[in-house]
Amino acid sequence: MAIRRVVSVFLCAAMLTVIYPFAPFSWMFPTEGVDILDSFVAPPLFLGALFFQWRIAGVVGNIVVSVLDSEPVFVYHHNMYWTMAAVECMVCMGVWMMKNEWLRRGTAVGLVSWMWGVGWYCTPQRLKDQAWEHLKWIWTVLAIDHARNTFRTVGNGRRRY
């Protein structure tokens, strides 16, 4: 398991080269108002995918992935890690070599979706609860910062004290 964790750090670095900058809502709806949605939702999705990459590397049993607690959709076996790591590495290298922006965006959304789909079931509930508490605090700070920047630009960039 320790070797898989070390490899997951390198896979996170490879995933960073494909994913960053991650703005999926601006990609789908290229309008001006969607930027605020990207600023609030994209960072947790992005950082969650990196965290789940780490969590998937630590799986020692089988994980059943289901949608809305219904029938199992997929069973992740811990011995599938090396195959999936090799596929992820080849995909990241392929996207990097082709330098196609549409391919990079599609791969970024696919990688983030895959990490969330499998990683969510690999993570204990107490860690999910802690992350949710941190996320609410971060969203509050981002909202305050966004409001402050909005009011600052209303006055033509001059601060009012």
Side-chain angles (χ1 to χ4, degrees):
M1 183 169 75
I3 294 173
R4 291 193 305 184
R5 288 283 172 111
V6 170
V7 169
S8 75
V9 171
F10 290 108
L11 287 174
C12 284
M15 198 164 50
L16 277 173
T17 63
V18 173
I19 292 178
Y20 188 78
F22 187 67
F25 301 105
S26 296
W27 297 338
M28 290 188 295
F29 310 106
T31 60
E32 193 170 312
V34 181
D35 293 340
I36 192 165
L37 185 61
D38 273 330
S39 67
F40 280 97
V41 178
L45 290 175
F46 175 79
L47 294 173
L50 295 175
F51 173 73
F52 288 144
Q53 174 73 42
W54 175 262
R55 292 295 306 170
I56 291 168
V59 171
V60 293
N62 297 335
I63 302 293
V64 176
V65 177
S66 61
V67 177
L68 299 175
D69 295 330
S70 62
E71 294 293 319
V73 175
F74 176 71
V75 178
Y76 176 80
H77 303 283
H78 69 280
N79 57 1
M80 296 169 63
Y81 179 78
W82 293 112
T83 305
M84 293 189 179
V87 168
E88 182 181 345
C89 187
M90 287 187 290
V91 165
C92 290
M93 285 175 42
V95 168
W96 179 76
M97 288 172 30
M98 289 185 197
K99 298 194 185 320
N100 184 330
E101 183 62 20
W102 288 101
L103 180 64
R104 185 194 71 80
R105 290 176 180 183
T107 304
V109 170
L111 282 174
V112 168
S113 300
W114 173 255
M115 292 302 152
W116 271 86
V118 175
W120 182 261
Y121 294 97
C122 297
T123 306
Q125 187 62 40
R126 71 176 171 78
L127 287 178
K128 294 176 193 175
D129 292 340
Q130 287 175 350
W132 178 241
E133 292 301 318
H134 289 297
L135 183 60
K136 288 189 286 188
W137 181 80
I138 290 169
W139 276 343
T140 303
V141 171
L142 284 173
I144 292 169
D145 188 49
H146 182 70
R148 189 182 71 213
N149 289 339
T150 302
F151 289 128
R152 185 178 297 159
T153 58
V154 168
N156 294 329
R158 290 178 276 147
R159 293 185 183 200
R160 298 180 190 168
Y161 294 100

